[in-house]
C-alpha cells in the first residue's frame, strides 16, 4: 500500500475532511503525477485518510493511502515533489510502502490545551485531573444511531494533566482511535458537564502520534 504521512497545521485546520480528500488528487496533478480513479458513472480517486480530522484540530500524524497511475515512481521523491504544490499548513513528512492495514490502527496520542481567561489555580488543576480518575465519565456521544449516553473512561488509555502556563492546562492523553473512537473534544464536554466551574474558555487539540494495539507506532 502506498502511503503518505503528512501534517495539517495553521490555517489548514479549517479545511474539512472532505475538502482535504478532494485536495490531494489536485496536488498530485500539480506535481506531475496522476491518482488512479475508479471506473463507472461516478468515478472517485483512490485516496483515503485513515482517521478523519475534525475541523479546527491540527495534526502531525495524518495517514493517507493512495494509488498512482504511474508505475515505479520513487516514493522517497514524493515529499519534495508534492510539498511545493500545497497551500499553507500542509506538509508531507514521508512517503512509503506499507503492508499494514488501517484496521490495525488502535490508539491516538493527543495534546489538548485548555485555556482559562482568568487563570486556573493548582487546586483547579487537581480537580480537572481527578475527573479522569472517576469510576465512570458519562457524556453524550454521537453514534450511528444518533446521540447516546456513553462512558468515555474505557476509551482513555493514558491521561496526564500538567500546567502549561498560569492560564493554560495541558492534557496529554492516549485515546481510542477507532472501534470505538473518542473525539478529544469530548474530554472538554465532560468538563463542561461534570465540572462546569472549571470548563475552559477555549480548547485546542493536537494529534501527535498513532499506534497499533500493542502501542507500536503505526505506519
Amino acid at each position: 500500500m502506498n502511503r503518505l504521512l503528512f501534517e495539517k497545521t495553521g490555517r489548514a485546520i479549517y479545511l474539512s475532511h472532505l475538502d482535504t480528500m478532494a485536495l490531494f488528487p489536485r496536488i498530485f496533478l500539480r506535481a506531475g503525477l496522476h491518482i488512479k480513479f475508479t471506473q463507472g458513472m461516478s468515478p472517485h480517486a483512490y485516496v483515503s485518510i485513515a482517521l478523519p480530522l475534525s475541523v479546527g484540530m491540527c495534526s502531525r500524524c495524518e495517514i493517507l493511502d493512495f494509488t498512482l497511475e504511474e508505475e515505479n515512481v520513487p516514493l522517497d521523491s514524493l515529499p519534495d515533489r508534492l510539498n511545493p504544490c500545497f497551500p499553507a499548513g500542509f506538509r508531507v513528512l514521508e512517503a512509503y510502502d506499507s503492508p499494514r492495514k488501517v484496521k490495525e490502527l488502535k490508539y491516538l496520542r493527543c495534546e489538548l490545551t485548555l485555556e482559562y481567561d482568568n487563570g486556573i489555580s493548582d487546586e483547579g488543576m487537581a480537580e480537572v485531573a481527578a475527573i479522569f480518575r472517576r469510576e465512570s465519565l458519562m457524556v453524550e456521544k454521537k453514534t450511528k444511531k444518533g446521540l447516546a449516553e456513553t462512558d468515555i473512561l474505557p476509551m482513555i488509555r493514558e491521561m496526564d494533566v500538567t500546567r502549561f502556563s498560569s492560564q493554560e492546562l495541558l492534557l496529554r492523553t492516549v485515546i481510542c482511535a477507532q472501534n470505538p473512537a473518542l473525539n478529544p473534544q469530548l474530554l472538554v464536554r465532560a468538563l463542561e458537564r461534570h465540572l462546569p466551574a472549571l470548563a475552559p474558555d477555549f480548547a485546542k487539540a493536537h494529534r501527535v502520534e498513532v499506534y497499533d494495539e500493542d502501542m507500536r507506532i503505526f505506519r
Side-chain angles (χ1 to χ4, degrees):
M1 178 66 68
N2 290 338
R3 188 165 282 169
L4 294 181
L5 176 70
F6 71 96
E7 66 179 20
K8 188 179 180 185
T9 60
R11 294 176 63 183
I13 67 175
Y14 300 109
L15 197 68
S16 72
H17 172 67
L18 292 179
D19 286 339
T20 301
M21 290 280 288
L23 172 70
F24 272 89
R26 298 198 296 269
I27 297 302
F28 274 90
L29 190 59
R30 288 179 193 171
L33 299 164
H34 300 81
I35 292 288
K36 272 191 177 181
F37 277 75
T38 60
Q39 303 298 311
M41 296 293 291
S42 301
H44 64 270
Y46 280 109
V47 294
S48 63
I49 295 176
L51 300 174
L53 186 66
S54 298
V55 173
M57 188 183 300
C58 66
S59 174
R60 63 170 184 254
C61 59
E62 295 303 283
I63 288 176
L64 176 134
D65 291 338
F66 65 97
T67 304
L68 292 177
E69 289 185 359
E70 294 88 353
E71 297 182 357
N72 302 319
V73 175
L75 294 178
D76 58 5
S77 72
L78 292 188
D80 288 340
R81 294 182 67 173
L82 295 172
N83 283 334
C85 304
F86 277 110
F90 287 93
R91 185 165 70 98
V92 174
L93 304 175
E94 188 179 356
Y96 53 97
D97 183 67
S98 175
R100 307 194 69 181
K101 297 180 179 179
V102 170
K103 67 180 181 181
E104 296 177 42
L105 198 162
K106 177 65 176 177
Y107 295 110
L108 176 65
R109 185 176 296 278
C110 287
E111 293 181 353
L112 194 66
T113 304
L114 309 181
E115 300 181 7
Y116 296 85
D117 292 344
N118 298 319
I120 184 165
S121 65
D122 289 340
E123 292 78 10
M125 182 178 71
E127 287 188 66
V128 170
I131 199 174
F132 298 108
R133 296 193 297 268
R134 291 184 175 185
E135 294 278 331
S136 65
L137 193 59
M138 304 299 293
V139 297
E140 202 171 52
K141 184 177 182 290
K142 187 176 181 180
T143 69
K144 293 180 180 179
K145 298 181 179 180
L147 294 176
E149 286 290 309
T150 305
D151 182 6
I152 64 171
L153 281 187
M155 304 178 208
I156 303 173
R157 181 184 174 105
E158 298 176 14
M159 174 63 73
D160 179 55
V161 181
T162 57
R163 181 178 297 285
F164 191 69
S165 73
S166 61
Q167 293 180 299
E168 297 172 300
L169 297 182
L170 181 62
L171 275 58
R172 294 186 177 95
T173 184
V174 175
I175 58 179
C176 287
Q178 54 183 353
N179 303 319
L182 177 60
N183 188 320
Q185 293 298 334
L186 289 181
L187 303 176
V188 179
R189 290 188 198 171
L191 290 174
E192 292 171 344
R193 178 171 180 175
H194 298 280
L195 206 60
L198 291 174
D201 295 293
F202 181 74
K204 56 185 176 183
H206 180 195
R207 286 182 177 176
V208 177
E209 192 54 276
V210 286
Y211 304 93
D212 65 14
E213 190 171 10
D214 298 317
M215 286 300 291
R216 297 174 298 188
I217 292 175
F218 178 87
R219 291 291 184 269

